[in-house]
Amino acid sequence: MRRIHAGILVLVSGLLGCQSATPSAETTQQVVEESQAQSVFGAKPNWLRFTDKPELFDRVRDQAYSYCLSGGRIDMECASKQDEAVEASVLAIQVASAQAEMTNKDALGTKERWVAMNPDIALRVEKECWSLYEEHGAADARILAVCLGNLTDYSPLIQLPVAD
């Protein structure tokens, strides 16, 4: 009987030890915030002002930094690439929106003009890109950036009915 109790005690202690080694959500958020404050972009990047969804992209950035977390620390090289990806995503959406609002769309290339004149295309591509990002864990912002990077002229997800 004592062996069973001792075995259970060892098992429970081992499980508790494993749980204490995993950082809590609060600790992770604190590490993320400290690392963001030390980044080139700072705690609140300027590019968050270029979107009508700053809370969304702030969360994307938090998740991207968490993606770079290992051993209780953020890999700042990884975080820098994530920052660039989130910025690129924000700017891609902003460019697509600005092109759609242009009065002289003839100044755009064939594909850009088609997307600008048919804003539903950009919305469909955005939706597909967000879906792809979420399907892959909603953690690595580079997935979102690569997809949205082609938003204004071409998308491998949604073929445009034009040719150069």
Side-chain angles (χ1 to χ4, degrees):
M1 189 68 154
R2 286 186 175 170
R3 262 191 184 161
I4 293 173
H5 287 283
I8 291 173
L9 182 61
V10 169
L11 181 62
V12 169
S13 297
L15 289 174
L16 290 175
C18 289
Q19 288 178 349
S20 65
T22 304
S24 70
E26 293 156 357
T27 302
T28 298
Q29 187 60 33
Q30 181 181 357
V31 170
V32 165
E33 289 173 6
E34 289 170 359
S35 298
Q36 288 173 345
Q38 295 171 10
S39 75
V40 173
F41 291 104
K44 290 292 176 190
N46 287 335
W47 38 261
L48 284 176
R49 295 183 304 171
F50 300 125
T51 178
D52 59 348
K53 300 173 186 164
E55 297 85 16
L56 172 65
F57 283 101
D58 200 28
R59 280 194 314 272
V60 169
R61 186 180 190 220
D62 287 352
Q63 290 171 276
Y65 268 68
S66 293
Y67 175 80
C68 299
L69 182 66
S70 178
R73 299 185 67 206
I74 301 284
D75 176 341
M76 290 308 286
E77 184 177 335
C78 172
S80 177
K81 290 176 184 176
Q82 295 294 326
D83 267 338
E84 291 169 5
V86 179
E87 178 188 36
S89 297
V90 167
L91 296 179
I93 293 169
Q94 182 66 22
V95 167
S97 177
Q99 287 180 347
E101 294 174 9
M102 286 177 68
T103 53
N104 181 14
K105 292 180 177 65
D106 292 333
L108 299 171
T110 306
K111 292 178 180 180
E112 292 93 345
R113 185 172 52 250
W114 183 263
V115 174
M117 292 174 67
N118 298 282
D120 61 308
I121 293 173
L123 293 174
R124 286 175 43 211
V125 172
E126 263 189 72
K127 184 179 176 184
E128 290 293 329
C129 291
W130 282 107
S131 179
L132 181 67
Y133 169 71
E134 289 171 8
E135 286 173 18
H136 286 87
D140 190 348
R142 294 172 300 175
I143 293 169
L144 188 59
V146 167
C147 187
L148 290 173
N150 296 313
L151 181 62
T152 59
D153 65 358
Y154 173 78
S155 170
L157 300 172
I158 298 174
Q159 298 295 321
L160 301 179
V162 294
D164 279 335

